[in-house]
Amino acid sequence: MPRTLAFLRHGQSQWNLENRFTGWVDVPLTEKGEAEAKKAGELLKASGVQFDGCFTSMLTRAIRTLNIALDAMEEPWLPVIKDWRLNERHYGGLTGLNKQETRDKHGDEQVHIWRRSYDTPPPVLEDSSPFPSLGDRRYTGIDVPKTESLKLTLDRTEPYWNEAIAPALRQGQDFIIAAHGNSLRALVKVLFQVADDDINKVEIPTGNPLLIELDETLKPTSARYLDAERATELPPLPR
C-alpha cells in the first residue's frame, strides 16, 4: 500500500536570522519562524493526508515547529516520538560563529568545504566552548559527537530510519518528520539515492513541508513542496 511522508524543516530560528552556525545548540524560533510553522500546519491540513504520528529531534526549535504545525492542523493529539538521531548536524568548533566572519577568517573555500562537503567535518568543539552539549541531560548515555560531516550525520540518521521510521511506514501509517536541514538532507540522500557529490546541491527551506509519496517498498514515486513559491529544486526520483 502506498504511504505518505512529510519532511518539515523547523521554521527560522534566531541563529538562522543572525547567520550563525547552530548545530546542537538550543535556540528559539523567531516570529517569522513561528509563522512559517503555522503556515506549514495549514498546508499539511489542506493536503488532506491523515497522518498517524510524528517523529522529531531532541532540539526545541524542531519540537516547537511541530507543535505549532499540529495546532494549525487541529491535531495536537497526534503521537510524537523524539530521538537525538534526528538532531541537526553537530557543527563542532564552528558552533555559535557568524558565518560571514568565519569566511573572512578562514576563506570562502575552506568554509564551503566545512559546510557542504559530504565527508569533511569542521574542527572539533573544544571543551572550553560556551556551547557544550556533552553535559546536557537529554543526551545521558549517548556518545555525543564533537563535530560531524553530513556523512557522520547520515551514519546516525540512516540506522534510525531503518530501525524506527521505515518499519512504522510498512505497517501502513503516514508520518511527519520535523527535523533540521542536515538531518533531513541525510534522509533525502537515502530515499532519493543521491550521489555523494550531488547531495551538496540539495537545500531544504525552513517551514515548507515536503510531501513524499512512497510505494510499498518505500521508494519515492512523487515529491513536492506544499508552498510552491518557496520550493527548492528536488533531486530526481530514483529509478
Side-chain angles (χ1 to χ4, degrees):
M1 177 184 295
R3 304 294 359 139
T4 302
L5 183 64
F7 285 172
L8 177 58
R9 182 184 175 188
H10 64 80
Q12 184 192 64
S13 73
Q14 186 61 38
W15 280 16
N16 290 148
L17 178 63
E18 296 174 11
N19 201 29
R20 299 169 72 181
F21 292 100
T22 311
W24 283 35
V25 179
D26 246 343
V27 295
L29 297 177
T30 61
E31 185 175 336
K32 177 182 177 181
E34 293 187 353
E36 288 176 342
K38 183 175 183 290
K39 183 174 182 180
E42 293 168 349
L43 291 168
L44 287 166
K45 181 180 179 180
S47 75
V49 179
Q50 293 187 329
F51 292 97
D52 299 289
C54 315
F55 294 90
T56 191
S57 74
M58 299 288 284
L59 294 167
T60 301
R61 59 190 182 275
I63 297 168
R64 176 74 175 140
T65 295
L66 179 59
N67 289 340
I68 293 172
L70 290 177
D71 283 344
M73 294 167 64
E74 299 181 342
E75 294 186 321
W77 49 267
L78 280 178
V80 177
I81 298 173
K82 303 180 183 74
D83 196 282
W84 71 274
R85 286 171 288 183
L86 292 175
N87 274 20
E88 176 59 291
R89 167 188 174 189
H90 198 300
Y91 271 106
L94 301 183
T95 300
L97 299 181
N98 177 276
K99 293 176 184 177
Q100 185 56 53
E101 291 175 355
T102 307
R103 291 188 195 98
D104 294 342
K105 180 177 180 180
H106 295 284
D108 288 344
E109 182 177 355
Q110 179 61 68
V111 174
H112 181 76
I113 291 171
W114 284 334
R115 290 191 66 193
R116 286 300 184 178
S117 71
Y118 176 58
D119 56 4
T120 302
V124 299
L125 184 72
E126 299 294 339
D127 292 339
S128 58
S129 167
F131 308 110
S133 49
L134 294 178
D136 194 315
R137 72 185 186 95
R138 80 188 88 179
Y139 306 124
T140 300
I142 293 170
D143 187 13
V144 175
K146 289 190 173 184
T147 186
E148 286 181 314
S149 61
L150 180 60
K151 181 181 184 301
L152 291 173
T153 307
L154 179 70
D155 286 346
R156 57 172 162 87
T157 55
E158 185 173 18
Y160 187 63
W161 167 267
N162 292 329
E163 295 165 14
I165 303 173
L169 288 164
R170 290 193 181 100
Q171 290 176 5
Q173 297 180 308
D174 300 326
F175 288 95
I176 300 168
I177 301 178
H180 307 266
N182 284 293
S183 53
L184 291 176
R185 284 174 67 224
L187 291 176
V188 165
K189 188 178 191 307
V190 172
L191 281 176
F192 290 80
Q193 301 171 19
V194 183
D196 295 355
D197 293 338
D198 293 332
I199 191 60
N200 66 333
K201 303 169 188 174
V202 175
E203 182 66 36
I204 298 176
T206 57
N208 190 353
L210 173 59
L211 204 65
I212 306 170
E213 301 292 338
L214 307 166
D215 66 16
E216 61 276 1
T217 69
L218 303 188
K219 180 179 176 180
T221 57
S222 69
R224 64 186 175 95
Y225 283 106
L226 296 185
D227 185 349
E229 293 183 357
R230 297 182 57 239
T232 54
E233 185 176 356
L234 289 168
L237 295 171
R239 296 181 179 180

